[in-house]
Amino acid sequence: MEKSKVVKPYNKKETSKKEEVAEMFNNISKKYDFLNHFLSMGIDKLWRKKAIKILGEVQPKRILDIATGTGDFALAALKLNPTEVVGVDISQGMLDVGIEKMKKKGVDNIIKMKLGDSEKLPFEDASFDAFTVGFGVRNYENLEKGLGDMLRILKNDGKAVILEFSKPKSFPVKQVFGLYSKRIIPFLGKTISKDKRAYAYLPESVEAFPEGQEFMDIMSKVGYKNVKAIRVSGGIATIYSGVK
């Protein structure tokens, strides 16, 4: 992986990755939920379920869902009977969809949605028992800075669970996923969302992300303890976990 290469959704010279990620999610926010579940064939729900089971080991009461989008991970966390779940995201468009979703489900008294930067979270030190991130860390402009700030808001012995796409290594999953992510997802995403770049950015960002042991090493370097990784669905995604 080229350390110096920054993969951005629109590759404009005058805008940062952070600005472009916010713009991209604002652009696709209305179609995001449909596309997300359609393109993943619903398998993303199983990944979140497994991630929440890992999170349940510490019985968290106050959970932060970072890069929450429209709040799917925050909703999954309700299985743990928390007193509060806060979803934070850089895209107001995604949050607006999420806020309506929580109201319709009657859980807006437990799940709060807040605009915020994942690399500079608007919360006090040691204010959450646990946090989740679903398919968000590869969009960070500064990965170490983001991981460090997420560690800051955790209480001692608090747990981090990060779900992220990875690159399958074995036949035939590697070949099938490669074709699907680089050809089919961009085509369907562009056709349905009307954003030419958003779903082409997905495989590019997955390709550039420091997955597996490399990502675990970064977590450890930043200060996470007991860092673990579980590959799911033949390595299409990985669930990383760590403790403060």
Side-chain angles (χ1 to χ4, degrees), residues 44-235:
D44 58 310
K45 294 178 182 177
L46 297 175
W47 297 340
R48 284 191 199 90
K49 193 174 179 181
K50 188 163 187 136
I52 290 300
K53 191 174 180 182
I54 294 169
L55 197 68
E57 294 166 3
V58 296
Q59 299 180 314
K61 287 301 169 192
R62 192 165 191 245
I63 302 170
L64 181 63
D65 183 38
I66 301 163
T68 191
T70 63
D72 279 346
F73 223 155
L75 281 167
L78 293 180
K79 187 175 177 65
L80 302 178
N81 296 314
T83 54
E84 183 183 25
V85 181
V86 180
V88 64
D89 201 276
I90 201 170
S91 164
Q92 188 62 53
M94 296 287 277
L95 289 170
D96 288 343
V97 174
I99 288 165
E100 284 306 306
K101 188 193 293 188
M102 302 314 158
K103 286 178 182 174
K104 283 181 182 175
K105 292 181 179 292
V107 295
D108 53 314
N109 60 322
I110 302 173
I111 299 177
K112 308 297 182 187
M113 308 290 273
K114 186 177 177 70
L115 187 68
D117 183 348
S118 302
E119 295 171 33
K120 194 175 180 181
L121 293 162
F123 305 105
E124 298 291 323
D125 294 1
S127 53
F128 289 90
D129 301 307
F131 74 72
T132 54
V133 192
F135 311 112
V137 290
R138 74 177 190 286
N139 296 324
Y140 286 10
E141 194 163 82
N142 186 321
L143 185 56
E144 285 191 27
K145 184 180 177 184
L147 287 169
D149 204 51
M150 295 192 298
L151 187 66
R152 175 187 66 80
I153 58 87
L154 273 185
K155 294 177 182 176
N156 285 336
D157 299 318
K159 196 170 186 75
V161 172
I162 299 168
L163 173 60
E164 189 52 87
F165 286 115
S166 45
K167 299 181 279 290
K169 306 292 190 290
S170 58
F171 178 86
V173 182
K174 177 182 178 181
Q175 286 73 14
V176 172
F177 181 69
L179 174 67
Y180 189 67
S181 67
K182 291 174 184 175
R183 295 283 184 267
I184 298 172
I185 286 179
F187 173 74
L188 291 174
K190 177 179 70 175
T191 304
I192 297 169
S193 75
K194 308 300 181 189
D195 187 312
K196 292 181 180 179
R197 278 291 304 155
Y199 287 87
Y201 165 74
L202 171 64
E204 291 169 10
S205 61
V206 172
E207 189 66 35
F209 183 70
E211 61 165 330
Q213 189 61 52
E214 192 177 353
F215 182 67
M216 292 170 70
D217 289 345
I218 296 170
M219 287 184 71
S220 297
K221 177 185 174 185
V222 169
Y224 292 85
K225 297 180 292 186
N226 198 22
V227 176
K228 297 176 182 176
I230 299 172
R231 292 165 69 81
V232 290
S233 299

Side-chain angles (χ1 to χ4, degrees), residues 1-14:
M1 188 188 94
E2 291 179 57
K3 298 292 182 187
S4 58
K5 187 180 179 184
V6 177
V7 174
K8 302 193 295 183
Y10 304 110
N11 292 315
K12 299 174 189 174
K13 286 183 180 178
E14 69 277 10

